[in-house]
Amino acid sequence: MVPRKLLKSVFCVVNNSPKLFQRSVRCTSTLSHSAKDNKTTLAREYLMDLHKQIDLMTKHTNRTASHLGDVARRMNQQYQNKLHIYNVMIKELQDLDSIATGDDKELALLACEDVVNVSKQVEDLESEILQELLPQDASDEHGAVLEVTAGVGGQEAMLFTGELFDMYKSYAVWKGWQLSVLNIDNTDLGGIRQVTASINGHDVYKMLKFEGGVHRVQRVPKTEKSGRIHTSTASVAILPQYQEISIDINPSDLKITACKASGKGGQHVNTTDSAVRVLHIPTGIVTECQQGRSQIKNKEIAINLLKSRLYQLQQEQQQGNLERNRKIQVGTRARSEKIRTYNHNQDRITDHRLGESLFNLSTFLTGGELLDDIIESLHAESRHEILNEMLQEYKRNKNK
């Protein structure tokens, strides 16, 4: 396994901007450089090897090394040009290193200045190329279905579920997205047992997919007279929402029931059987919609939502990760399976995947810049992990 410390130096995030190969150059008469002892990082070795494979493919179409052939084949001309420029810059840097460590002190000082400038250009180009080589999630461009469900903690968990949903509603407004409530189960005390919403806009699923999991709140409930801190949970699930899905559903596999919509919504919503619940008998998946007064429209939305979940299920089965998105995100809703903790007494939010905390909880729950910052950090961490896996695979295949 590639050491995490090495990967941090290869792909670290500074002020939300990826930077590669942080290095310092000491301009003295006894210059020492990593290039002198011929040590290179794994990522640099990877890119240089990839450039060789591109050249090999250009000269001999059928001769590509197995450990890089697939990557090389999918690179378009633009990436190939960048790799060529990169290779030229690496050679230039090596020449400058030789001069900077030479006997001519005057030339060494001049070369030292060039080393700093060229190194920065190499770092930027390395970052750019590796970013483009990272595999893309095909679902990122789609909208998302958001589910928030109360977990452990009774009424306090339901109140927390309502607060989380309000946070995501505000975040959707802040991002310029459109959110529509498909189904909601309110409580008499103002909480929410479960809510499902459709969100559409630019990069919705891409931005929200890491919000899935168990969220934990720690605070003293208003009804607690002794001042004891309670811990409650709510689970969040984020599923990609596909606009057009070619999937066949046998009508006999569906159990469709109409019921009265729950929660606030006016005289028609609560007195007519406008809400629709659809059960897919083979999988046990249930979808509901009470968006409007039309039972026909609600049925259509519920069936489309079912198709989206069945399609996602098929994709996950093909990848060998059955129901990965939903089951891993939701878990058992136990207190221990947390991804983020909201501690009101300490005014603190802790994301356990990042191992970081920030403060100003009330502002965070407004779903604005603070939430956006932590989501961006999760994406940066994800890119780091993907790069880690990519380099590990390269290392394994190369040693075969």
Side-chain angles (χ1 to χ4, degrees):
M1 179 176 180
V2 181
R4 186 177 184 83
K5 186 175 181 180
L6 169 63
L7 266 295
K8 283 289 186 182
S9 67
V10 171
F11 196 78
C12 59
V13 177
V14 180
N15 295 328
N16 292 327
S17 298
K19 291 292 182 183
L20 293 138
F21 307 108
Q22 305 297 317
R23 66 192 290 184
S24 60
V25 180
R26 295 186 294 116
C27 297
T28 65
S29 58
T30 56
L31 288 172
S32 62
H33 217 285
S34 60
K36 184 177 181 179
D37 53 21
N38 201 31
K39 292 182 179 179
T40 59
T41 64
L42 183 59
R44 180 164 293 182
E45 180 183 337
Y46 173 84
L47 290 179
M48 293 177 70
D49 200 357
L50 184 59
H51 180 263
K52 293 178 183 178
Q53 293 305 313
I54 295 294
D55 284 345
L56 187 62
M57 288 178 62
T58 302
K59 297 175 182 177
H60 307 284
T61 305
N62 296 323
R63 291 178 57 192
T64 58
S66 60
H67 61 285
L68 278 176
D70 291 339
V71 177
R73 289 188 191 95
R74 69 169 180 261
M75 292 188 72
N76 60 29
Q77 189 62 46
Q78 181 182 1
Y79 294 163
Q80 293 180 29
N81 291 340
K82 289 181 180 179
L83 269 178
H84 176 72
I85 296 172
Y86 172 78
N87 193 55
V88 171
M89 292 173 65
I90 289 293
K91 291 180 179 178
E92 180 184 357
L93 188 59
Q94 291 171 345
D95 292 340
L96 288 170
D97 281 335
S98 298
I99 298 174
T101 56
D103 296 331
D104 192 323
K105 296 181 180 180
E106 185 175 347
L107 278 178
L109 287 175
L110 293 174
C112 183
E113 296 179 4
D114 290 335
V115 164
V116 173
N117 295 329
V118 176
S119 294
K120 177 63 168 60
Q121 296 173 22
V122 169
E123 291 168 8
D124 291 342
L125 190 55
E126 283 168 345
S127 175
E128 185 178 341
I129 294 173
L130 284 173
Q131 286 273 14
E132 293 171 345
L133 284 177
L134 295 180
Q136 301 298 313
D137 188 340
S139 299
D140 281 351
E141 62 186 29
H142 295 282
V145 174
L146 164 70
E147 293 181 352
V148 190
T149 307
V152 178
Q155 288 291 340
E156 182 64 18
M158 297 175 195
L159 291 171
F160 178 52
T161 299
E163 292 170 1
L164 282 180
F165 183 57
D166 287 341
M167 179 182 74
Y168 290 122
K169 282 196 299 184
S170 299
Y171 185 63
V173 172
W174 191 78
K175 297 290 287 187
W177 299 335
Q178 293 79 45
L179 183 146
S180 300
V181 176
L182 302 180
N183 182 64
I184 187 167
D185 186 2
N186 291 301
T187 69
D188 294 336
L189 297 180
I192 295 177
R193 293 184 181 87
Q194 197 272 344
V195 59
T196 304
S198 168
I199 309 177
N200 291 288
H202 180 66
D203 286 344
V204 173
Y205 181 72
K206 177 181 179 180
M207 295 301 295
L208 290 179
K209 60 185 178 182
F210 297 128
E211 286 300 291
V214 175
H215 296 239
R216 183 178 71 168
V217 63
Q218 294 176 321
R219 62 184 171 192
V220 179
K222 295 179 180 179
T223 56
E224 175 60 52
K225 297 180 180 180
S226 65
R228 185 171 62 90
I229 296 176
H230 286 232
T231 299
S232 305
T233 67
S235 65
V236 174
I238 306 292
L239 299 174
Q241 181 172 251
Y242 303 98
Q243 297 298 325
E244 296 182 4
I245 302 174
S246 178
I247 185 169
D248 295 326
I249 299 178
N250 190 334
S252 62
D253 289 338
L254 300 180
K255 181 180 179 181
I256 302 174
T257 55
C259 55
K260 290 183 175 62
S262 62
K264 302 175 182 179
Q267 58 181 352
H268 295 288
V269 175
N270 293 294
T271 59
T272 61
D273 290 336
S274 57
V276 175
R277 180 181 293 110
V278 178
L279 166 65
H280 186 248
I281 299 172
T283 61
I285 295 176
V286 177
T287 59
E288 299 181 46
C289 182
Q290 58 180 33
Q291 187 176 27
R293 300 178 182 178
S294 171
Q295 185 183 113
I296 295 176
K297 183 65 175 177
N298 287 340
K299 176 182 175 182
E300 179 183 347
I301 294 174
I303 290 178
N304 285 337
L305 181 58
L306 174 63
K307 287 183 178 180
S308 180
R309 293 188 183 177
L310 290 175
Y311 180 79
Q312 184 69 10
L313 192 61
Q314 288 182 357
Q315 297 299 307
E316 290 161 358
Q317 287 175 328
Q318 291 174 4
Q319 297 168 9
N321 295 307
L322 180 61
E323 287 190 298
R324 179 190 57 192
N325 280 356
R326 193 168 192 280
K327 282 193 173 180
I328 288 182
Q329 290 176 2
V330 174
T332 64
R333 305 189 189 118
R335 292 185 179 95
S336 60
E337 295 180 326
K338 57 188 181 295
I339 65 165
R340 189 177 297 150
T341 295
Y342 305 73
N343 189 303
H344 282 254
N345 284 24
Q346 300 177 11
D347 193 31
R348 170 178 53 82
I349 310 99
T350 300
D351 194 286
H352 302 284
R353 296 159 297 180
L354 296 172
E356 297 177 357
S357 296
L358 61 154
F359 298 87
N360 200 343
L361 179 54
S362 59
T363 301
F364 185 86
L365 290 173
T366 62
E369 188 174 357
L370 286 180
L371 175 58
D372 196 58
D373 286 345
I374 208 167
I375 288 175
E376 290 290 351
S377 295
L378 287 166
H379 277 276
E381 181 68 14
S382 174
R383 291 192 295 269
H384 165 76
E385 293 297 336
I386 293 172
L387 178 63
N388 188 358
E389 294 174 5
M390 186 173 75
L391 293 179
Q392 287 183 52
E393 183 180 4
Y394 162 73
K395 191 174 183 179
R396 287 193 302 267
N397 290 337
K398 186 178 180 181
N399 294 331
K400 284 183 179 180

